[in-house]
Amino acid sequence: MTISQFSERTGLRPKILRYYEETGLIVPELRSANGYRQYSDSQIETAQLVNSLRQADVAMSSISRTVTENGFQGRDDLHLDGPGLKPKISLRGVLENDSST
């Protein structure tokens, strides 16, 4: 989907999406021959997570670690994982790391 369609689906302005692309947080899945950004449905949850963390005043570096190093793939990564009840990605750890920087 185009940046305007992605913007409508995520509730994020295109300007914010371009900024997230510049910082490497949400990179369009591909660029069309005419240079238009093309996003996928699978990127919607990531965009919403990034924006929610920014709204919570979490530093970009902490968000970047959460999204890129931990390989966030959507809501399933935020669910508790198995008998140990350990989240695949700990948002508590993100917030704790952010407060120490």
Side-chain angles (χ1 to χ4, degrees), residues 1-14 17 26 38-49 51 75:
M1 72 190 86
T2 65
I3 194 168
S4 62
Q5 293 166 326
F6 193 69
S7 174
E8 283 183 31
R9 299 269 313 267
T10 61
L12 303 174
R13 295 184 326 238
L17 292 170
I26 306 167
Q38 295 292 318
Y39 295 89
S40 68
D41 287 338
S42 65
Q43 293 180 289
I44 292 172
E45 288 179 350
T46 302
Q48 292 170 333
L49 172 67
N51 193 60
R75 139 183 16 202

Side-chain angles (χ1 to χ4, degrees), residues 53-74:
L53 292 171
R54 284 301 301 143
Q55 295 302 312
D57 209 22
V58 174
M60 294 296 283
S61 59
S62 295
I63 296 171
S64 179
R65 279 193 304 275
T66 300
V67 173
T68 57
E69 292 176 15
N70 294 317
F72 178 75
Q73 296 295 316

